[in-house]
Amino acid sequence: MAQINFGGVVENVVTREEFPLEHAREVLANETIAVIGYGVQGPGQSLNMRDNGFSVIVGQRKGKTYDKAVADGWVPGETLFEIEEALEKGTIICFLLSDAAQIELWPTVKAALKPGKSLYFSHGFGVTYKEKTGIIPPADVDVFLVAPKGSGTSLRRLFVEGKGLNSSFAIYQDASGNARNKAIAMGIGVGSGYLFETDFYKEVTSDLTGERGTLMGAIQGIFAAQYEVLRANGHSPSEAFNETVEELTQSLMPLVAENGMDWMYANCSTTAQRGALDWWKPFRDATKPVFEQLYNSVKSQEQAEISITRNSQPDYREKLEVELAELRDSEMWQAGTAVRSLRPERA
């Protein structure tokens, strides 16, 4: 493992130099990796592992998602199976269904976990909240996770471009004595840039906080607040969207990703620089109590309870569509659709 200084704190990480792809293939040479679920993370992880030379099969119910797997090159009866058959054939079971679907399918998965098999997650939810989910793995199987820090779509896209997403990994149960090597090998196999170690509890609490916070919930809230203020003061939808979203996502954030926020501040106009330096702390102070409230809600398992209860309702999809329509049909994101259509590469 490499020791890297992260802002004054030294952490151990695994890179492709210490754990090359060839070694990952050796570790998993006798394993059949069964990816259960071809929804969000399933396509990216399975395709990346397949292209990296691992033995991979997919388990998916027949329907639209099954047809997508066929279109991606998975062959029915050879590398694509019904879930029960894939569970039987696999030695490493990649349980990549949604949290709610994992609860529903768990009895079937548990029955297939014979001694010596491994159970792989990309999210610590099911095991961490086992009292609520009922997901309690047998004692004679390895249980570990690799959690790419991004969407399955981004994981695949960056892999194809020769890049990679960073991932966390964690060991919950080491029945074989080799769970750590398996987890790291899987992390390299799915295309991770580097891997940092955590545990199931920390993975799920940081992940739930991030999704509800800066990654999705908070950023939408901030977008909406600024857009609404600009519109209320006479700015057009096009101007408000460009100043709120488009400039951030298309111009500034790629530069921040490459060089850091300090570089961004040092390389903008002096007017923008002064304003940013004066205003970032008031925004931090205004939002930090909301983030503390959010983290406490995650820590108390309130967010887990909400997720399980709401996402398990039979009419969840219908209710979800109503909530998504509120975003999709809002003036801001309708303006966004128009703005995106005018980008030069779309002309």
Side-chain angles (χ1 to χ4, degrees), residues 20-40:
L21 180 59
E22 293 74 18
H23 183 51
R25 291 194 191 109
E26 291 171 4
V27 171
L28 302 179
N30 298 317
E31 306 285 355
T32 298
I33 302 164
V35 174
I36 307 303
Y38 205 73
V40 177

Side-chain angles (χ1 to χ4, degrees), residues 125-194:
F125 190 98
V127 168
T128 299
Y129 303 124
K130 56 184 179 293
E131 293 85 3
K132 299 178 185 296
T133 65
I135 297 177
I136 303 174
D140 50 10
V141 301
D142 289 341
V143 183
F144 48 85
L145 69 75
V146 172
K149 298 299 113 180
S151 70
T153 301
S154 298
L155 183 71
R156 180 60 178 168
R157 183 178 296 163
L158 289 170
F159 177 87
V160 171
E161 294 173 356
K163 303 174 184 178
L165 284 175
N166 305 323
S167 301
S168 62
F169 76 97
I171 314 303
Y172 182 78
Q173 199 164 271
D174 186 6
S176 69
N178 197 37
R180 184 182 182 83
N181 274 336
K182 289 182 191 175
I184 295 172
M186 290 289 290
I188 297 298
V190 302
S192 302
Y194 76 84

Side-chain angles (χ1 to χ4, degrees), residues 233-283:
N233 283 277
H235 298 271
S236 70
S238 174
E239 184 170 51
F241 187 86
N242 273 282
E243 293 294 345
T244 300
V245 179
E246 189 76 352
E247 184 174 352
L248 175 70
T249 57
Q250 294 299 295
S251 174
L252 303 186
M253 289 315 294
L255 293 174
V256 172
E258 290 174 12
N259 305 297
M261 187 64 82
D262 56 321
W263 183 94
M264 188 73 256
Y265 277 27
N267 288 274
C268 62
S269 72
T270 55
T271 302
Q273 185 181 73
R274 183 71 267 143
L277 288 168
D278 287 347
W279 278 93
W280 79 262
K281 289 180 182 177
F283 276 109

Side-chain angles (χ1 to χ4, degrees), residues 199-241:
D199 58 45
F200 273 58
Y201 173 78
K202 287 180 180 175
E203 189 284 326
V204 74
T205 49
S206 61
D207 188 69
L208 292 181
T209 301
E211 290 169 346
R212 288 150 179 75
T214 59
L215 301 179
M216 296 178 72
I219 195 69
Q220 164 61 20
I222 290 170
F223 283 163
Q226 178 169 302
Y227 182 90
E228 289 168 11
V229 168
L230 289 172
R231 289 290 287 125
N233 283 277
H235 298 271
S236 70
S238 174
E239 184 170 51
F241 187 86

Side-chain angles (χ1 to χ4, degrees), residues 284-303:
R284 177 200 61 190
D285 295 344
T287 59
K288 190 174 179 181
V290 181
F291 282 102
E292 289 171 339
Q293 179 185 354
L294 166 59
Y295 191 83
N296 288 333
S297 182
V298 171
K299 194 173 173 182
S300 70
Q301 302 190 16
E302 179 186 23
Q303 290 302 306

Side-chain angles (χ1 to χ4, degrees), residues 32-36 55 57-59 86-87 89-95:
T32 298
I33 302 164
V35 174
I36 307 303
S55 175
I57 60 176
V58 171
L87 287 169
K89 291 178 179 294
T91 58
I92 297 180
I93 308 303
C94 297
F95 205 12

